[in-house]
Amino acid sequence: MARSALLNVMVQAALKAGKSLGRDFGEVQNLQVSVKGPGDFVSAADRKAEKIVREELLKARPTYAFLGEESEEIKGTDGAHRWIVDPLDGTTNFLHGIPAFAVSIALERNGEIVAAVVFNPASDELYTAERGGGAFLNDRRLRVAARRVLSDCVIGCGVPALGKRNHGKFLVELRHVMGEVAGIRRLGSPTLDLAYVAAGRFDGFWEAELAPWDMAAGILLIREAGGFASDWDGGAAILEGGAIVAGNEHIHKALIEVIKRPIPAK
């Protein structure tokens, strides 16, 4: 596959940060047996990865804005472009030595995501996409799964963590979806969940209360793999609203209908 100069910059930034995370992940697995645990170490690894990505991207395009999870937003002077970065999506997995985490980088141009990179150093899987150019996993072209009936599907989701709101609302959504599908999975990394939809591993995905860096790259991966990603009303306000539902044309529509079923009266 041919990559643009900008996508090559993004790939190199993700690989460099991923190499750093890979080294730290090996140390985290050793720290699991300690009483204190690796919490502080992981926080430092997260910040270090973002510093690597930020420096690589801004060195190549110093006028672009930068929105990352671990640092203050850089407004930039370009006015049209913004990097959206999660240097370590799946921090809790990383903290516990679970090899499901990723570096996520998206490029937004005039409000539209035009390029995306997701890299899982633990599995050496590199997902890339450019608008109009398709989505790829390690240079293999991706297509979303073709299943048309929910009862045949495995659906990914996010589960509200400690301190999050709407636990009860999510349990209602989960009950509704469980009654319709073949299985439900939770990876603990929305970036990877969305990449799995693009790769056809998951037939669909839904989650609320997400940040832009959790979703930006995955949205483009899915759309360039022939799928649909929207807010829960089927609209485009995903990054603004923090809620996403995704799948192929049929599963996307069916999943919206199920998760929006009213809560039963007591």
Side-chain angles (χ1 to χ4, degrees), residues 94-122:
F94 192 94
L95 176 67
H96 288 267
I98 300 169
F101 57 91
V103 182
S104 174
I105 305 173
L107 176 60
E108 184 183 55
R109 178 180 295 138
N110 294 319
E112 296 288 335
I113 306 300
V114 297
V117 173
V118 171
F119 178 52
N120 180 353

Side-chain angles (χ1 to χ4, degrees), residues 224-252:
E224 288 298 320
F228 289 73
S230 74
D231 61 27
W232 287 17
D233 294 317
I238 307 173
L239 299 186
E240 298 83 356
I244 188 169
V245 57
N248 67 29
E249 180 180 6
H250 306 282
I251 300 307
H252 172 258

Side-chain angles (χ1 to χ4, degrees), residues 55-74:
E55 289 178 351
E56 290 292 312
L57 296 179
L58 295 181
K59 180 172 63 177
R61 295 294 188 275
T63 63
Y64 287 12
F66 183 95
L67 177 65
E69 183 177 14
E70 299 302 320
S71 60
E72 288 188 13
E73 183 175 3
I74 299 172

Side-chain angles (χ1 to χ4, degrees), residues 84-89 102-106 117-119 191 213-214 216-218:
I84 303 176
V85 173
D86 192 339
L88 175 53
D89 185 52
V103 182
S104 174
I105 305 173
V117 173
V118 171
F119 178 52
T191 292
W213 47 77
D214 295 319

Side-chain angles (χ1 to χ4, degrees), residues 1 10 18 41 50 69 73 92 110 223 248:
M1 58 166 285
M10 296 165 68
F41 180 83
E50 179 159 315
E69 183 177 14
E73 183 175 3
T92 302
N110 294 319
R223 289 174 176 169
N248 67 29

